[in-house]
Each structure stands twice: as structure tokens, then as C-alpha cells.
Amino acid sequence: MAVLIDPARWPAHGTVFSHLVSDHSLAELHAFAEEAGIPRRAFDGDHYDVPVERYPALVALGAEEVSGAELVRRLVASGLRIPASHRPGKLDKILTQRFNRLLPGHSPLEREPVVADLLARWSEPHRHYHDRSHLLAVLKSVDLLLRQGEDCGRWDRAVKLAAWFHDAVYRGDPGRPPGQDEEDSAVLAETVLSDLGLPDPEIAETARLVRLTTTHDPDPLDRSGAVLSDADLEVLGRGRGDYARYLAAVRKDFSHVPDDAFAAGRAAVVQSLLDADPLYRTATGHRMWDGAARRNLSAELHPTSRWWSRR
């Protein structure tokens, strides 16, 4: 467990900058930065950018000097590295390109207001997990499942559209009726896709899939439902660092909920996921994510477990 700093080589604002990271946790990194008097605005997802004049003081405070390559290697190994494609400056461009590919027969004049509204929804300030990074992760997981041979029949585009709309309405309010966000998201999909002139059966399938994300419990013969459900739950099967980041983001989504109430509600959700048999409904999802997901979920309920503590 260490805070690392690489040589100051990155030019900006008339000086050069180092990267300051932790190879253990963001909590460790933020605590070190606060002690050093580094403002939070210098944080960029997985590191702080610090000017060269701060370098000696940070080393004196305990930052370990490493090469740029070593810093990246240890950051990746920790699971805290954010891919370049998930950084805010690139997300909108990548997501817009993906959305446009779903509607090649529509003009930019038709597509642009729709994707702008969707991106604005996914960028709302109260979102920390249910944000654009989650949207991109779900879309990528859908692509992965399809490449691995999972079959949605004729509904490939409907599954991807459902991914776009499945959290388009997200209040994060436990006082709302269960499934209300998903219902509102489905109604939004029906309205928007109807205005775009998509076929009624495809609109109906997209809305059905959005509603399905309330339970993640597709019928055994529901192939498109299985793909979307598994893609949405892919995060559970990631490595420990990514899973810890996911937990922290979910807690921020519900920061208005008292700790005791959140802990009780979260424990119920985790237990229901562990009780699901199967948790992942596609053969690919089960093979790739089930084992890690069950370890992560079990460790979340029992944080002193041997597996969790040794990683």
C-alpha cells in the first residue's frame, strides 16, 4: 500500500506535472492529497495532477518515487485505473458515435437532439454509478456477449437501445415505488423511438427490456432479456478494485440515505443477487463473471472473509 509519484514530464499551464496515485485505494490517495494541501479539483478520476514545484514536498511527505511505467503498472494492478475511453472528455464522443450507428437511416438533424438529451440525463449531477461510464460499460458488455455467440434473434438493436434507455430516468429516491424509474425510462423510450419512426414491434421490445431491468429475471427462453440483464450485471464480476469503485459510487448515488438504512437495503439487494440461480442467464456471462461476482457479493456481506482480506 503506497502513494506513488512519477517524474514531472507532462506540460501544461507553463509548467510540467507529475501524477500522484495510490496502488491501494482512492481513500488513501484522497487522504494523502488532503494532508498535502492538494485541492480536489486536481483529481482526474484515478490520479492527481501535481506541478513540479510540489514534487519535493510530496516525496518528503511519503510519496514513493517511481517511473511513469511503474506507476501505470501498479495502478492497473490495483484495479483503480480508469481507461482513457471512460474519461469525461472522450465519453460523449464515443457514446454519440455508438448511438449514431444504431440509426444509420436517420439524419443528424433527427439524431442529435435525441442523443444530446440522453447524454444530459446520464450526466445528471446526482449520478455517480448510474452515469455515462455505466452506460458505456453496458453497451460494451452487450457487444462482448454478441461476439461470443449469444443470440438476440432479430432484436440486437432493441437490446442496445434498451441499454441506452434503461437508466435514462434515474432519481435514486428510495421513496419512489420499486420499478418506477424503469417504468418512466420505458415510457421515455416509447415516446422517443416512436417520434423517430422506428417499427412498433421494435419499440415494444425495447420498452419491455427496459422494464425487465427492474428485476433482472428474464424468462429462460428470453434471449434478448438474458443479454441485457447480464450486461447490466457485468460490474459484479469485475476485479476487487473495480468492485470497490462500484460500491463507493453506489453509496454516493444514495448519499441522502442514512448509513443504517442504506446498509440494510444494500444487504437485502446483495442477498437477493446471491440467491439468484442462475445469476447470469447467458452461458458466456455465467462463464466469465459468475465466479467473481459471487466472491465479490459474499465478501461485501462478510468483509472479513479470507478471500476479500487477502486481495
Side-chain angles (χ1 to χ4, degrees), residues 2-222:
V3 172
L4 315 175
I5 190 168
D6 64 1
R9 293 175 178 168
W10 305 94
H13 309 297
T15 185
V16 288
F17 284 77
S18 293
H19 299 120
L20 189 74
V21 309
S22 167
D23 66 358
H24 174 63
S25 71
L26 292 180
E28 178 185 50
L29 178 61
H30 290 316
F32 184 93
E34 183 176 1
E35 182 180 359
I38 301 172
R40 184 59 70 95
R41 65 177 178 273
F43 181 66
D44 186 17
D46 55 12
H47 70 275
Y48 281 85
D49 293 309
V50 292
V52 63
E53 57 267 23
R54 299 296 306 274
Y55 190 97
L58 294 172
V59 172
L61 193 60
E64 179 183 341
E65 297 177 274
V66 296
S67 68
E70 175 72 3
L71 182 143
V72 171
R73 185 189 69 77
R74 289 169 66 174
L75 184 61
V76 170
S78 73
L80 298 175
R81 176 75 181 275
I82 295 179
S85 62
H86 285 242
R87 297 187 184 278
K90 296 186 178 181
L91 271 175
D92 282 359
K93 181 178 179 180
I94 292 170
L95 287 167
T96 298
Q97 290 172 342
R98 280 179 167 268
F99 186 82
N100 289 344
R101 288 199 295 269
L102 292 177
L103 300 170
H106 290 71
S107 70
L109 192 63
E110 294 172 302
R111 294 190 305 250
E112 287 173 3
V114 176
V115 72
D117 177 69
L118 285 169
L119 289 175
R121 291 174 179 274
W122 283 95
S123 303
E124 291 165 334
H126 65 278
R127 296 172 181 253
H128 300 277
Y129 170 64
H130 298 87
D131 60 4
R132 290 169 296 169
S133 292
H134 171 60
L135 170 59
L136 181 58
V138 174
L139 290 167
K140 285 184 172 182
S141 295
V142 168
D143 287 346
L144 184 152
L145 292 169
L146 295 178
R147 287 197 306 271
Q148 292 293 316
E150 301 298 341
D151 183 14
C152 295
R154 61 193 179 102
W155 299 121
D156 284 15
R157 184 168 74 165
V159 172
K160 294 176 183 180
L161 287 170
W164 270 94
F165 282 96
H166 82 284
D167 281 326
V169 177
Y170 178 73
R171 305 279 188 246
D173 181 0
R176 281 165 64 83
Q180 189 62 56
D181 284 348
E182 290 82 0
E183 177 61 28
D184 292 347
S185 296
V187 171
L188 177 68
E190 291 168 335
T191 301
V192 170
L193 299 181
S194 178
D195 289 345
L196 286 170
L198 268 62
D200 288 345
E202 189 173 31
I203 295 172
E205 176 67 1
T206 300
R208 182 189 73 82
L209 291 169
V210 171
R211 292 183 172 100
L212 180 64
T213 61
T214 304
T215 62
H216 296 96
D217 188 20
D219 182 87
L221 299 179
D222 183 1

Side-chain angles (χ1 to χ4, degrees), residues 121 213 241 243 251 296:
R121 291 174 179 274
T213 61
Y243 192 78
R251 184 64 186 102
N296 284 331

